[in-house]
């Protein structure tokens, strides 16, 4: 049976607007609980609108504008009203090549890395226009402040950048002014006012930012590897921490990289202030960072949120999605979660059919109000290392318990390597000397059965049963430090030769067509499969602490050299199963070469075994206790 409707229930209509179309006007087609591809992508209407925001980030005395490029069914010119799926981004006009900060502190300074140069993005790349527009949606690309056709300045997540994303939703609801490129005022008289946002990385962060304002009309978002707290992107537990692959990048570097607006020189003072206030000296949390923390505003979110993240993503780390996910639960926000085995990527190209089904139903449910049952399906989809998928009622898995494992001294000389066991066995203090400036974590964790002067290792015996860690592991270490580096790093490692996913994907020759074709865009893609490698170990997760922030991330307190303190910090969230026969290891370092600042070598770290431990969240289907 085919139903004719624009908004089947009142929740899908913008305030003050009728829920359906007047007789004789075109309307979306709904069959079997979903919108149907009855509109022509080839005949779509395109328009560009410059929208007034409520802020003046470039301080020129005029309100900033953001540029929105829209594509919508031609029937919207004949009375059809449709919701909008938007991808906000700072990247549509490309990205500049900007040097990063040096991270080798004191002595010789290393060469700064640079971000890559992107080609200019075509308007409406990707699949949204091919797939969603024929189903009765407008699709739109938004230039965030200071980028592309927008004015203002990029501020790497500050409130004015939030206001830019919010303004687009306001215009689609008749609450903000907009102009065509020739200056003619223009209104979104074709819009129902219902808006969805989707995107990856920064493009997934902006939907989080907009939702955290509580803007009316933003009904659903799909943040893919999105940031929910910028402090935990460039800092962690008081430490200056790099996104994976971008050592030395920081808020100011990113703002400079995306500053592609006309007359970018007007933003120099704004970016200079970001560099001054971001504080690469202490890494302390401050009001500057609190402004860029959206987790605390989860209670304001009115949009249903489908969170997506890669378990092997060390650029935007998993805590960005997990802390957001947990806060949304506490706030009672409708939510779903996808955790996959890739790195900084979207599952579209390797699970395309199910990805399209779920995102289609997600937007249909909350932008069209269609009762398709998506909210009653399992909340969580998790990809296994072999590429198969499982569903869960929630995450961490209901029944997950905390398993404490003590870092005990081993029987060998100096107690190294140590033992990781459920029962504490106090022993003599164990020390190592920091050489992380020249030795990577991967180099330091190899040779786990031998003592190493530059780290400490603690291992279980071969596991009798699989052990599934799902959640946020924690380290509790009694230790003293003496030397220039204030960093403590803990690695959780799976030891056992195996073939595991690397996080990368391999493109196959399997072509999948997902939407309507137009010249230059056939509406097809090549399917991807997981890339794997056979190796003797894999880092499951890792975590860092600036020991000066042992009591608070907001306040650095100097250490007394040689004095023993209790240190506690979180590692990155994970969902990982250590197979039976493998060993689980914890490696304690100081400097983590690829992530922390690198102080001169020589810091002595002394750990008290037996009273130091890790706390692992263990799922009920992998609850073996190491002996």
């Amino acid at each position: 049976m085919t139903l004719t409707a624009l908004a089947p229930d009142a929740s899908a209509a913008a305030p003050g607007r009728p829920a359906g179309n007047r007789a004789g006007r075109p309307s979306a087609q709904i069959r079997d609980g979903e919108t149907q591809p009855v509109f022509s992508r080839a005949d779509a209407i395109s328009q560009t609108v410059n929208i007034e925001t409520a802020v003046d980030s470039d301080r020129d005395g005029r309100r900033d504008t953001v540029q929105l490029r829209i594509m919508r069914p031609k029937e919207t010119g004949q009375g059809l009203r449709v919701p909008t799926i938007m991808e906000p981004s700072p990247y549509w006009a490309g990205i500049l090549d900007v040097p990063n900060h040096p991270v080798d502190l004191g002595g010789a300074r290393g060469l700064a890395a640079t971000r890559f140069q992107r080609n200019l993005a075509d308007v409406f790349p990707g699949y949204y226009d091919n797939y969603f527009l024929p189903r009765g949606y407008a699709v739109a690309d938004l230039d965030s402040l200071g980028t592309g056709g927008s004015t203002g300045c990029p501020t790497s997540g500050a409130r004015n950048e939030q206001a830019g994303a919010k303004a687009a939703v306001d215009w689609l609801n008749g609450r903000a002014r907009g102009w065509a490129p020739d200056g003619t005022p223009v209104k979104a008289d074709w819009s129902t006012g219902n808006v969805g946002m989707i995107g990856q990385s920064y493009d997934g962060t902006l939907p989080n930012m907009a939702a955290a304002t509580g803007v009316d009309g933003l009904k659903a978002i799909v943040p893919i590897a999105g940031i929910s707290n910028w402090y935990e992107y460039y800092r962690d537990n008081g430490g200056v921490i790099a996104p994976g692959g971008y050592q030395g990048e920081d808020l100011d570097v990113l703002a400079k990289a995306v500053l592609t607006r006309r007359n970018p020189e007007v933003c120099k003072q704004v970016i200079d202030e970001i560099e001054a206030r971001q504080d690469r000296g202490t890494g302390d949390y401050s009001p500057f960072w609190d402004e860029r923390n959206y987790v605390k505003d989860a209670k304001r979110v009115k949009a249903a949120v489908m969170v997506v993240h890669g378990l092997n993503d060390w650029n935007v780390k998993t805590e960005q999605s997990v802390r957001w996910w947990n806060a949304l639960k506490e706030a009672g926000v409708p939510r779903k979660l996808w955790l996959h085995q890739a790195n900084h990527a979207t599952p579209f190209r390797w699970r395309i059919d199910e990805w399209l089904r779920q995102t289609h139903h997600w937007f249909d449910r909350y932008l069209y109000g269609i009762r398709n049952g998506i909210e009653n399906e399992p909340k969580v989809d998790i990809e296994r290392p072999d590429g198969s998928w499982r569903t869960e009622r929630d995450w961490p898995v209901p029944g997950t318990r905390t398993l404490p494992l003590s870092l005990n001294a081993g029987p060998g000389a100096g107690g190294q390597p140590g033992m990781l066991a459920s029962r504490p066995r106090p022993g003599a203090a164990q020390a190592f000397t920091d050489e992380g400036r020249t030795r990577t974590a991967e180099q330091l964790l190899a040779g786990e059965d031998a003592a190493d002067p530059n780290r400490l290792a603690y291992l279980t015996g071969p596991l009798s049963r699989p052990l599934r860690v799902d959640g946020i592991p924690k380290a509790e270490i009694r230790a003293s430090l003496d030397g220039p580096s204030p960093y403590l790093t803990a690695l959780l490692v799976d030891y056992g030769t195996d073939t595991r996913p690397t996080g990368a994907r391999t493109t196959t020759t399997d072509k999948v067509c997902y939407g309507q074709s137009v010249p230059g865009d056939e509406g097809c893609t090549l399917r991807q499969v997981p890339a794997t490698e056979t190796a003797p170990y894999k880092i499951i997760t890792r975590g860092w602490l600036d020991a000066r922030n042992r009591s608070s991330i907001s306040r650095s307190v100097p250490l007394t050299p040689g004095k023993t303190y209790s240190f506690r910090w979180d590692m990155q969230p994970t969902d990982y199963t250590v197979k039976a026969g493998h060993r689980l290891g914890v490696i304690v370092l100081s400097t983590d070469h690829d992530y922390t600042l690198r102080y001169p070598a020589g810091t002595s770290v002394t750990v008290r075994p037996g009273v130091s431990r890790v706390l692992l969240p263990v799922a009920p289907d992998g609850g073996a206790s190491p002996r």
Side-chain angles (χ1 to χ4, degrees):
M1 180 175 67
T2 300
L3 302 177
T4 300
L6 172 64
D9 63 25
S11 68
R17 293 179 178 176
N21 285 312
R22 295 178 182 176
R25 289 186 177 181
S27 57
Q29 303 297 306
I30 300 167
R31 186 175 65 248
D32 299 328
E34 60 183 32
T35 51
Q36 298 297 304
V38 297
F39 301 106
S40 169
R41 161 65 179 82
D43 295 334
I45 297 171
S46 296
Q47 70 177 127
T48 298
V49 182
N50 297 312
I51 299 167
E52 184 180 58
T53 74
V55 296
D56 177 16
S57 63
D58 56 13
R59 305 168 189 174
D60 65 354
R62 298 185 298 273
R63 290 187 177 187
D64 300 337
T65 60
V66 287
Q67 187 169 100
L68 187 69
R69 293 173 296 279
I70 304 157
M71 185 177 290
R72 49 190 171 88
K74 70 175 183 179
E75 288 81 0
T76 55
Q78 304 162 15
L80 173 68
R81 291 216 304 271
V82 297
T84 302
I85 295 174
M86 182 190 308
E87 182 171 6
S89 177
Y91 298 137
W92 295 124
I95 193 168
L96 306 177
D97 192 12
V98 179
N100 291 348
H101 294 278
V103 297
D104 290 331
L105 304 184
R109 298 165 73 91
L111 293 176
T114 58
R115 289 184 65 92
F116 60 88
Q117 175 72 41
R118 291 192 182 184
N119 293 326
L120 292 180
D122 294 328
V123 177
F124 301 109
Y127 67 91
Y128 308 138
D129 56 322
N130 309 83
Y131 185 83
F132 283 109
L133 187 147
R135 288 167 168 80
Y137 289 90
V139 295
D141 293 340
L142 178 72
D143 290 336
S144 61
L145 287 183
T147 74
S150 296
T151 64
C153 299
T155 53
S156 299
R159 288 194 185 97
N160 44 29
E161 214 166 69
Q162 281 185 283
K166 175 181 179 294
V169 180
D170 285 335
W171 179 77
L172 289 164
N173 279 272
R175 298 189 298 263
R177 296 191 297 172
W179 297 270
D182 64 2
T184 303
V186 60
K187 295 182 178 180
D189 53 6
W190 48 266
S191 170
T192 65
N194 292 339
V195 182
M197 289 186 179
I198 185 171
Q200 177 189 321
S201 194
Y202 211 143
D203 300 11
T205 302
L206 286 158
N208 286 342
M209 293 165 61
T213 69
V215 59
D216 289 330
L218 183 59
K219 296 298 183 74
I221 64 173
V222 183
I224 306 163
I227 293 169
S228 61
N229 181 350
W230 285 87
Y231 180 83
E232 292 178 341
Y233 185 63
Y234 288 122
R235 307 287 183 271
D236 208 6
N237 297 311
V240 176
I241 304 297
Y246 299 103
Q247 255 289 30
E249 186 182 294
D250 215 324
L251 285 172
D252 63 319
V253 174
L254 183 58
K256 293 173 185 176
V258 302
L259 181 56
T260 53
R261 60 159 285 176
R262 292 183 181 179
N263 306 318
E265 63 278 0
V266 302
C267 293
K268 183 181 185 306
Q269 182 178 349
V270 172
I271 294 177
D272 286 348
E273 290 173 4
I274 292 173
E275 182 175 6
R277 297 184 63 197
Q278 67 192 4
D279 182 10
R280 290 182 62 85
T282 71
D284 289 355
Y285 191 77
S286 65
F288 173 82
W289 289 104
D290 193 63
E291 181 181 352
R292 294 165 169 83
N293 178 2
Y294 321 121
V295 174
K296 70 182 190 311
D297 296 325
K299 61 184 178 298
R300 303 182 65 185
V301 174
K302 300 174 184 176
V305 185
M306 182 174 172
V307 180
V308 183
H309 214 108
L311 291 164
N312 289 292
D313 190 348
W314 288 99
N315 178 348
V316 176
K317 304 173 190 71
T318 50
E319 68 183 332
Q320 295 292 340
S321 285
V322 169
R323 297 197 191 283
W324 188 228
W325 167 256
N326 291 338
L328 293 169
K329 179 178 182 178
E330 291 182 8
V333 174
R335 65 196 178 120
K336 281 185 70 68
L337 175 68
W338 276 40
L339 295 174
H340 57 80
Q341 290 293 328
N343 45 34
H344 197 56
T346 171
F348 168 70
R349 291 185 64 187
W350 62 88
R351 202 191 185 202
I352 184 170
D353 296 334
E354 184 63 12
W355 174 257
L356 290 176
R357 185 191 75 83
Q358 287 198 31
T359 55
H360 180 192
H361 284 194
W362 195 250
F363 287 130
D364 273 0
R365 173 67 187 90
Y366 294 105
L367 273 62
Y368 266 105
I370 299 171
R371 303 287 180 177
N372 53 30
I374 186 70
E375 71 274 25
N376 300 319
E377 295 181 11
K379 282 188 171 61
V380 183
D381 286 51
I382 301 176
E383 186 181 18
R384 296 172 172 175
D386 64 2
S388 64
W389 289 78
R390 66 188 295 168
T391 59
E392 304 284 3
R393 291 188 294 113
D394 206 343
W395 195 90
V397 176
T400 292
R401 63 186 178 91
T402 299
L403 175 64
L405 295 178
S406 292
L407 279 55
N408 295 336
Q416 276 290 297
M419 297 183 295
L420 193 61
S422 55
R423 294 182 179 179
R425 292 176 54 186
Q430 300 172 312
F432 68 90
T433 302
D434 176 40
E435 284 285 354
R437 186 164 179 162
T438 55
R439 298 184 69 191
T440 67
E442 287 74 14
Q443 292 168 336
L444 288 165
L445 64 83
E448 68 277 9
D449 289 317
D452 188 305
N454 304 134
R455 54 87 168 137
L456 296 175
Y458 302 89
L459 300 103
T460 68
L463 298 182
S464 60
R465 289 186 293 156
L467 183 73
R468 180 181 176 189
V469 180
D470 71 322
I472 305 174
K474 302 176 185 294
E476 295 184 351
I477 307 294
R478 288 276 292 169
S480 63
L481 290 83
D482 188 356
S485 177
Y487 285 99
L488 288 171
T489 299
L491 311 176
L492 190 65
V493 185
D494 172 12
Y495 284 104
T497 299
D498 202 358
T499 300
R500 306 174 178 91
T502 64
R505 294 279 157 165
T506 300
T507 301
T508 71
T509 57
D510 180 15
K511 180 184 287 189
V512 182
C513 294
Y514 49 78
Q516 292 184 12
S517 174
V518 293
D521 182 0
E522 64 177 346
C524 303
T525 191
L526 295 178
R527 195 182 299 274
Q528 295 179 330
V529 295
T532 61
E533 67 175 2
T534 301
Y537 57 77
K538 180 179 175 65
I539 297 176
I540 300 170
T541 188
R542 64 215 301 164
W544 313 271
L545 172 74
D546 185 324
R548 297 170 299 184
N549 293 87
R550 58 195 176 276
S551 299
S552 170
I553 62 172
S554 301
R555 183 167 175 259
S556 295
V557 178
L559 296 164
T560 299
K563 180 179 177 179
T564 299
Y565 299 92
S566 292
F567 301 108
R568 299 177 179 86
W569 70 97
D570 291 348
M571 300 186 207
Q572 289 298 313
T574 190
D575 192 303
Y576 188 95
T577 298
V578 184
K579 293 180 178 179
H582 288 206
R583 295 184 297 168
L584 183 67
V586 172
I587 308 298
V588 181
L589 320 170
S590 176
T591 300
D592 190 346
H593 182 275
D594 294 329
Y595 293 92
T596 67
L597 295 178
R598 302 193 286 250
Y599 286 82
T603 295
S604 175
V605 180
T606 302
V607 173
R608 287 358 186 223
V611 294
S612 298
R613 63 181 185 170
V614 292
L615 303 174
L616 303 183
V618 177
D621 58 349
S625 295
R627 292 188 295 272

